[in-house]
Amino acid sequence: MGKLLDSIDSPKDLKVLSLEELNRLADEIRQLLIRFCRRHGGHLGSNLATIEPIIALHYVFDMPHDHLIFDVSHQAYTHKILTGRRRAYTDPESHEDLSGFTSPKESPYDDFILGHTGTSIGLACGMAAQRDATGGKANIIAFIGDGSLSSGPAFEGLDWAAEQGGNLIIVVNDNEMSIAENHGGLYKSLAALRASGGRSSDNPFRALGLDYCYVEEGNRIEDLTEAFRRVKDIDHPVVVHIHTRKGLGLGQGSHGQIGPTSVAQGDRNTAHMTSLPDLPAEGPVEANHWQDGLDSLDRLPNSRKTYGRMAMQALESRFPQEPGLTVISPATPLSNGIDPDFRQRAGNHYRDVGIAESHAIAYAAGIAKAGGTPVVATSATFFQRAYDQIEQEMALNGSAVTLLVFSTGIAKTDATHSGTADMVMMRGIPGLTCLAPTSGAEFLDMLAWATGPARQPVVIRVPGERTLATERAGKPTTPVSDPSKTDAECGSDPAPWDRYRILQEGKTVAVLALGDALPLGRDLADSLEKSMGLKPTLVDPHRYDRLDEQTLNALASTHSLVATIEDGQLDGGWGQAVAAYYGPAHVRTLAFGATKEFNDRVPQATLMERYGMTVPAMAQTISDALADQAS
Amino acid sequence: MGKLLDSIDSPKDLKVLSLEELNRLADEIRQLLIRFCRRHGGHLGSNLATIEPIIALHYVFDMPHDHLIFDVSHQAYTHKILTGRRRAYTDPESHEDLSGFTSPKESPYDDFILGHTGTSIGLACGMAAQRDATGGKANIIAFIGDGSLSSGPAFEGLDWAAEQGGNLIIVVNDNEMSIAENHGGLYKSLAALRASGGRSSDNPFRALGLDYCYVEEGNRIEDLTEAFRRVKDIDHPVVVHIHTRKGLGLGQGSHGQIGPTSVAQGDRNTAHMTSLPDLPAEGPVEANHWQDGLDSLDRLPNSRKTYGRMAMQALESRFPQEPGLTVISPATPLSNGIDPDFRQRAGNHYRDVGIAESHAIAYAAGIAKAGGTPVVATSATFFQRAYDQIEQEMALNGSAVTLLVFSTGIAKTDATHSGTADMVMMRGIPGLTCLAPTSGAEFLDMLAWATGPARQPVVIRVPGERTLATERAGKPTTPVSDPSKTDAECGSDPAPWDRYRILQEGKTVAVLALGDALPLGRDLADSLEKSMGLKPTLVDPHRYDRLDEQTLNALASTHSLVATIEDGQLDGGWGQAVAAYYGPAHVRTLAFGATKEFNDRVPQATLMERYGMTVPAMAQTISDALADQAS
């Protein structure tokens, strides 16, 4: 065992193998992926489903002359293993070497950096158009999961493909499962196609003008190679709908005996098992989707889950009284603390609309118009997919929609999942009240306001790790709204977050630290006092869509330098707005934040160094500015 | 004639009419709309197609208890006429009173401000969900044209509708025509449905799990009322596919004899007639889509058409040598000077992908990856719909895609079509080179660079009316790149637009005027010199994604005040970045630009006054700042 894989340095090495050997190779890869994900963490379920399809594709086609474009691309581990990158999966020392997504920087077999949903077909259409314009012959293959099909860009691509014509192979990898659950009428049709061996008349692909074929045993290499051979060099777009099994090979005690037999038996239940017996996981589905690594065993829940759960708990208590209070998640609920138990209890108060962010916002605006109270929760990076609906349906229409923005800030992330630009994006849109709470209590306070008296578009940036660490350490956090006021009095304030909060009165220097940067601001203030004997004023702005000009004016009269710190991109951000406000005044400004750039899995400490955002670096910059001012 | 319409103050007044009277009313409205659009301009073709459907909807349903949500909503003139707003169409003095789109500010019969495509179904799903959560009984109706169906948000909404269940009526108004042309495989299916009386098996709506019915004579009130009665109070989502005729009633000399007869005869060709004989119009299709008003007769082409045509001409000359040079337009080509003749000649060098902006960018990124040179052209407001693809597929992937951003700047626009926020949006995204040319020649120079040696993501903000007026007046414009250099030399410069261009050397004050604000900057410089005897330095930055720090540093040593002017939103903009750069320095700054706010058809002059951007206001602000500095 393990010998076959050692001989595969490129897809060429596949082509000499017998079917029996290909099956053995699939088993080796399956065991390798389970080992890898157990230790390192990763998208286990989807990768277990795609082992045989990817082997068959590389066996039949000739990459990189032919092109294979994975949608989202988190299911491409086997592709990486077969294209000269297996060491990152076999050698624990190298586990961190590769992106979890495709990347042209890693390999000529990867055409794109992809991590968002639904664009593989459009990209493939473009590559095919250019091939046809230049007389090329390559096969262009898009590989897209059923979960991605609910997204608008995927539909736009499917719709265009038929019109374009020419060779284009769209492999629909149907494992009957999106990230959490599949949603939408499309999935009824996919189910009917599966049940009928592809013969059901309500065929969404044929209805978009596409040729179609079906492979029931999508994890059987011989069936896959036969189907792919049939469509190789085809002269028009075709959908190859393959029925695969998410998490195939996972199951209680089963991963020791994985082999062709277990695959052929195809016990459906194993695909839905919670996780490997000794692995931490939550929920039956997400465990397959994302497997936490061993190092997560001792970890406390992160800020996303902690604050997400707090928010859901607060909302849930109101469900009985408020029929229109609705949490909407465009997939990925669990990562944001929207647990299966909550979803179960919430009933129609919770809606997973699938990977369909544009719809999530339009849907929420409709609920709000009709008097309901929708809360849309997802990651910063995915709200990008609804920019136009946030601007038009939500902001312009003044819809009482609340957005909970998770996974924000300067952190080690995949390049495709950065959380640094969300504040820049949101604050650029008129009509949004954008809040950055600095404690769990304030977060709940803001959520209560946004889903209560506000009746206007509100964006809340969920607190991050620094705030959570501060709270866990029992250090001081920001107070909630005036406890002497009753709820009704609080509610009567049309804009309770308009004013900045002065946390410490000082002189010469004012430090304005936004949201999750507030703990940094506190440390900076302490450092300035200790190292320079200078006690600065410390301010919690907790709002980033506009300025509290009254407080800024007051600061100007008693301070010569105002420093802003934000846990996000400087360019286009709130700190630049503060600087511009003081532009004509005597006050000087320093804005600390992230450089506008893409980063791929760069450690947070490295980024903070690079951006001059460590406490010593900021203290030094302030000291230099004061010296320059005095000169 | 005309008497019936006078009696309709609300939809209630419809309900007492006989079928013959309803038909007569339709004729009166048809003549009214033609008169209105002839004088005022407007979306003529789509509104002529929707007269009978809207009459029938208001006849059968009970708005505003029931809810009618128009997609894009530019086809809602008849709805406005029937809901107490007919005077704006009958009285020339009132022609400017109404938005061309629905607006809750105008009427309780309008639920949303809508002007972008594809969200009506999502909004309707939301309203229906809230109705069901609260035990309501209203019919919720989305009214969407076939042209809108190609958009991702529409698909996401259709997909969700079946899952949601409950009463929801989706009227698909199929006039066989998007804005210019329909594109995509979906339209083959719609054609097959029309040809088969709705019985074709490749039914995209049924394939998404939706009930379906078909009305062949979508401009026959009796057929429509019968169909709508059948679905009224239905307990599940249903698509009512109605076959209507865009521009029905238009035709050479025919508009004098419009009546039930001509409708019944339904001469298909009339729907495709260029325009009313004495009306200005271009192209057979767009003339129906948008009818210019009489005041446009003497007008020269605007900046969009002028510079768009220049760009297309420049690109066309290269088509024979560059097979992958491709202009992509997600609908609305003509407005941007992409004329039918050009499209005809361009062949596969031009692609109208339909209203599918996300796809347009992914498609372009695919072409670029394969070595082609794609140029995506559309309005500033529509690029919002591809924010995520611009960030991921274009910028993060470093794709050699060029965006031509039309219809920008502070201007009188519908609230849904603002051109003030595009620079803020684009400059917030890392990895984009964002250019703002200040003359036609420089525009072409930048386009040649972007589609030539650059091989990187480039955004070009097409010059606007101020630049065009300057050029037409023969006033000085900015020079193009150094004529002493050969093309190869120019091409070897990796970033020819990195450095700001000093147009006039002065002192004390530096005026940095970006893009179409440069003529304002020139006038301001002249004004300062005349009124204060102060000759300022005048700078053309012509790039807004980053700063030329070298020039900014040089300015700091000889100027005490730097003023920036940009033709767009201040908050998040380039001027704030300049201010922040100077934050720690001795230099003071003033940033002129638009306030972050929504505006609906506010005259440009009013906006410029409000934003303190008139030349006298800016001169005064500068003078005050200098006085304050001296004090």
Side-chain angles (χ1 to χ4, degrees), chain A residues 422-446:
Chain A
D422 60 302
M423 291 197 290
V424 167
M425 184 184 98
M426 296 293 188
R427 70 183 301 284
I429 298 173
L432 299 178
T433 296
C434 299
L435 304 176
T438 50
S439 69
E442 190 181 46
F443 171 49
L444 292 184
D445 218 23
M446 288 171 167

Side-chain angles (χ1 to χ4, degrees), chain B residues 426-491:
Chain B
M426 296 293 189
R427 71 183 300 284
I429 298 174
L432 299 177
T433 296
C434 299
L435 304 176
T438 49
S439 70
E442 189 181 44
F443 172 50
L444 292 184
D445 217 25
M446 287 172 168
L447 178 62
W449 175 76
T451 57
R455 293 308 299 167
Q456 60 180 272
V458 179
V459 179
I460 305 179
R461 202 180 202 226
V462 178
E465 297 305 330
R466 266 184 227 98
T467 300
L468 182 59
T470 305
E471 303 209 83
R472 283 196 176 135
K475 289 189 201 166
T477 58
T478 51
V480 297
S481 53
D482 188 346
S484 67
K485 287 187 183 173
T486 66
D487 274 2
E489 281 170 334
C490 283

Side-chain angles (χ1 to χ4, degrees), chain A residues 61 168-174 190 193-194 196-200 203-206 210-218 223-232 234 236-243:
Chain A
F61 295 96
L168 184 69
I169 298 160
I170 301 164
V171 179
V172 172
N173 166 39
D174 183 359
L190 291 181
L193 285 168
R194 291 193 304 266
S196 65
R199 284 179 292 273
S200 158
N203 184 316
F205 308 109
R206 289 199 190 279
L210 294 164
D211 195 2
Y212 172 86
C213 65
Y214 179 73
V215 179
E216 167 59 22
E217 292 292 341
D223 294 5
L224 291 163
T225 51
E226 191 199 322
F228 293 147
R229 278 205 191 97
R230 266 200 318 268
V231 298
K232 189 176 179 180
I234 198 168
H236 61 273
V238 62
V239 168
V240 183
H241 179 188
I242 64 174
H243 182 194

Side-chain angles (χ1 to χ4, degrees), chain A residues 288-538:
Chain A
N288 286 345
H289 177 68
W290 175 264
Q291 180 61 57
D292 286 329
L294 285 176
D295 64 348
S296 72
L297 274 172
D298 306 323
R299 243 188 268 145
L300 288 167
N302 63 14
S303 59
R304 296 172 72 175
K305 292 197 178 180
T306 305
Y307 293 117
R309 282 175 189 152
M310 278 172 59
M312 293 310 114
Q313 200 173 9
L315 294 172
E316 189 178 352
S317 68
R318 294 161 51 190
F319 287 164
Q321 287 76 47
E322 300 181 46
L325 186 57
T326 311
V327 175
I328 299 168
S329 183
T332 68
L334 182 63
S335 312
N336 303 322
I338 306 176
D339 302 322
D341 284 355
F342 164 83
R343 279 136 55 185
Q344 183 75 27
R345 291 192 306 270
N348 279 346
H349 288 277
Y350 171 75
R351 300 282 199 171
D352 183 338
V353 298
I355 304 175
E357 292 84 359
S358 296
H359 173 68
I361 301 295
Y363 182 54
I367 291 173
K369 178 71 193 184
T373 308
V375 176
V376 183
T378 195
S379 303
T381 191
F382 296 139
F383 275 118
Q384 296 180 178
R385 300 168 62 85
Y387 182 99
D388 192 51
Q389 290 73 38
I390 295 172
E391 201 264 349
Q392 298 267 316
E393 277 70 23
M394 181 173 159
L396 172 60
N397 278 278
S399 304
V401 175
T402 301
L403 306 186
L404 297 185
V405 185
F406 287 86
S407 197
T408 65
I410 302 164
K412 181 181 172 182
T413 66
D414 294 289
T416 45
H417 289 68
S418 167
T420 54
D422 60 302
M423 291 197 290
V424 167
M425 184 184 98
M426 296 293 188
R427 70 183 301 284
I429 298 173
L432 299 178
T433 296
C434 299
L435 304 176
T438 50
S439 69
E442 190 181 46
F443 171 49
L444 292 184
D445 218 23
M446 288 171 167
L447 178 63
W449 175 76
T451 57
R455 294 307 300 167
Q456 59 181 274
V458 179
V459 179
I460 305 179
R461 200 181 204 226
V462 177
E465 297 304 330
R466 266 186 226 96
T467 300
L468 181 59
T470 304
E471 303 209 84
R472 283 197 175 135
K475 290 189 200 165
T477 58
T478 51
V480 297
S481 55
D482 187 346
S484 68
K485 286 187 182 173
T486 66
D487 274 4
E489 280 170 335
C490 284
S492 66
D493 185 342
W497 323 104
D498 270 9
R499 303 299 308 278
Y500 294 169
R501 185 195 282 129
I502 310 282
L503 296 177
Q504 167 178 304
E505 299 265 13
K507 60 171 191 174
T508 312
V509 175
V511 174
L512 281 58
L514 184 69
D516 215 45
L518 184 59
L520 275 181
R522 285 188 195 273
D523 290 348
L524 175 60
D526 291 348
S527 166
L528 290 174
E529 192 162 0
K530 277 183 200 140
S531 67
M532 299 169 59
L534 173 78
K535 185 181 171 189
T537 296
L538 181 64

Side-chain angles (χ1 to χ4, degrees), chain A residues 2-164:
Chain A
K3 294 281 165 42
L4 259 175
L5 189 51
D6 291 345
S7 71
I8 310 294
D9 292 318
S10 91
K12 282 203 185 82
D13 300 321
L14 273 187
K15 309 213 177 222
V16 298
L17 300 186
S18 67
L19 174 62
E20 187 267 329
E21 287 169 318
L22 291 175
N23 277 322
R24 192 138 51 86
L25 182 68
D27 287 343
E28 289 179 22
I29 292 174
R30 184 158 277 112
Q31 291 185 47
L32 176 62
L33 290 182
I34 291 173
R35 273 200 308 275
F36 170 78
C37 287
R38 163 187 285 177
R39 178 185 286 266
H40 175 267
H43 285 96
L44 181 56
S46 55
N47 277 294
L48 290 178
T50 53
I51 295 169
E52 291 83 6
I54 291 172
I55 288 176
L57 284 165
H58 277 293
Y59 186 77
V60 171
F61 295 96
D62 302 300
M63 271 62 84
H65 168 73
D66 295 330
H67 291 268
L68 175 55
I69 304 162
F70 290 94
D71 205 85
V72 187
S73 83
H74 65 217
Q75 76 288 61
Y77 295 179
T78 297
H79 166 78
K80 294 199 177 197
I81 288 169
L82 299 178
T83 54
R85 288 171 277 179
R86 70 171 183 279
R87 194 175 158 189
Y89 298 88
T90 57
D91 175 8
E93 296 292 304
S94 305
H95 278 0
E96 291 284 319
D97 288 1
L98 294 186
S99 163
F101 304 88
T102 57
S103 170
K105 289 173 192 156
E106 286 179 9
S107 169
Y109 289 91
D110 294 3
D111 286 312
F112 299 97
I113 305 167
L114 291 176
H116 284 200
T117 297
T119 53
S120 61
I121 302 170
L123 292 165
C125 286
M127 294 195 82
Q130 179 64 12
R131 173 204 59 202
D132 293 343
T134 52
K137 296 283 174 208
N139 288 276
I140 311 287
I141 307 155
F143 189 97
I144 183 168
D146 54 318
S148 294
L149 283 178
S150 61
S151 74
F155 164 78
E156 292 181 358
L158 281 172
D159 186 37
W160 176 256
E163 162 148 351
Q164 171 161 308

Side-chain angles (χ1 to χ4, degrees), chain A residues 104 110-116 119 121-123 125-127 129-131 133-134 149-153 155-160 162-164 182-189 201-204 206-209 323-326 351-360 362-363 365-367 369-373 381 384-385 387-389 391-393 395-397 399 415-417 421 424-425 427-431 545-546 569 571-573 575-577 579-580 583-591 596-598 625 628-629 631, chain B residues 104 110-116 119 121-123 125-127 129-131 133-134 149-153 155-157 159-160 162-164 182-189 201-204 206-209 323-326 351-360 362-363 365-367 369-373 381 384-385 387-389 391-393 395-397 399 415-417 421 424-425 427-431 545-546 569 571-573 575-577 579-580 583-591 596-598 625 628-629 631:
Chain A
D110 294 3
D111 286 312
F112 299 97
I113 305 167
L114 291 176
H116 284 200
T119 53
I121 302 170
L123 292 165
C125 286
M127 294 195 82
Q130 179 64 12
R131 173 204 59 202
T134 52
L149 283 178
S150 61
S151 74
F155 164 78
E156 292 181 358
L158 281 172
D159 186 37
W160 176 256
E163 162 148 351
Q164 171 161 308
N182 274 337
H183 288 279
L186 179 66
Y187 297 106
K188 293 187 200 173
S189 300
S201 64
D202 291 333
N203 184 316
R206 289 199 190 279
L208 292 173
L325 186 57
T326 311
R351 300 282 199 171
D352 183 338
V353 298
I355 304 175
E357 292 84 359
S358 296
H359 173 68
Y363 182 54
I367 291 173
K369 178 71 193 184
T373 308
T381 191
Q384 296 180 178
R385 300 168 62 85
Y387 182 99
D388 192 51
Q389 290 73 38
E391 201 264 349
Q392 298 267 316
E393 277 70 23
L396 172 60
N397 278 278
S399 304
T416 45
H417 289 68
V424 167
M425 184 184 98
R427 70 183 301 284
I429 298 173
D545 61 301
R546 62 185 212 177
Q569 180 176 302
D571 217 9
Q576 287 190 342
H586 294 260
V587 178
R588 302 211 192 159
T589 57
L590 283 172
K596 182 169 71 175
E597 62 177 8
F598 292 113
D628 175 67
Q629 223 165 350
S631 72
Chain B
D110 295 3
D111 286 311
F112 299 98
I113 305 166
L114 291 176
H116 285 200
T119 53
I121 302 170
L123 293 165
C125 287
M127 296 195 82
Q130 178 64 12
R131 173 204 60 204
T134 52
L149 282 180
S150 62
S151 74
F155 163 78
E156 292 182 358
D159 186 36
W160 176 254
E163 163 149 350
Q164 170 159 309
N182 275 338
H183 288 279
L186 179 65
Y187 297 106
K188 292 187 197 172
S189 300
S201 64
D202 291 333
N203 184 315
R206 290 199 191 277
L208 291 173
L325 186 57
T326 311
R351 300 282 199 169
D352 182 339
V353 296
I355 304 176
E357 293 84 357
S358 296
H359 174 68
Y363 183 53
I367 292 173
K369 177 71 193 183
T373 308
T381 192
Q384 296 180 178
R385 299 167 64 82
Y387 181 98
D388 192 51
Q389 291 73 38
E391 200 264 349
Q392 298 267 318
E393 277 70 24
L396 172 60
N397 278 279
S399 304
T416 45
H417 289 67
V424 167
M425 186 183 97
R427 71 183 300 284
I429 298 174
D545 61 301
R546 62 185 213 177
Q569 180 176 302
D571 217 8
Q576 289 190 342
H586 293 260
V587 178
R588 301 210 192 161
T589 57
L590 284 171
K596 182 169 72 176
E597 62 177 9
F598 292 113
D628 174 68
Q629 223 165 352
S631 72

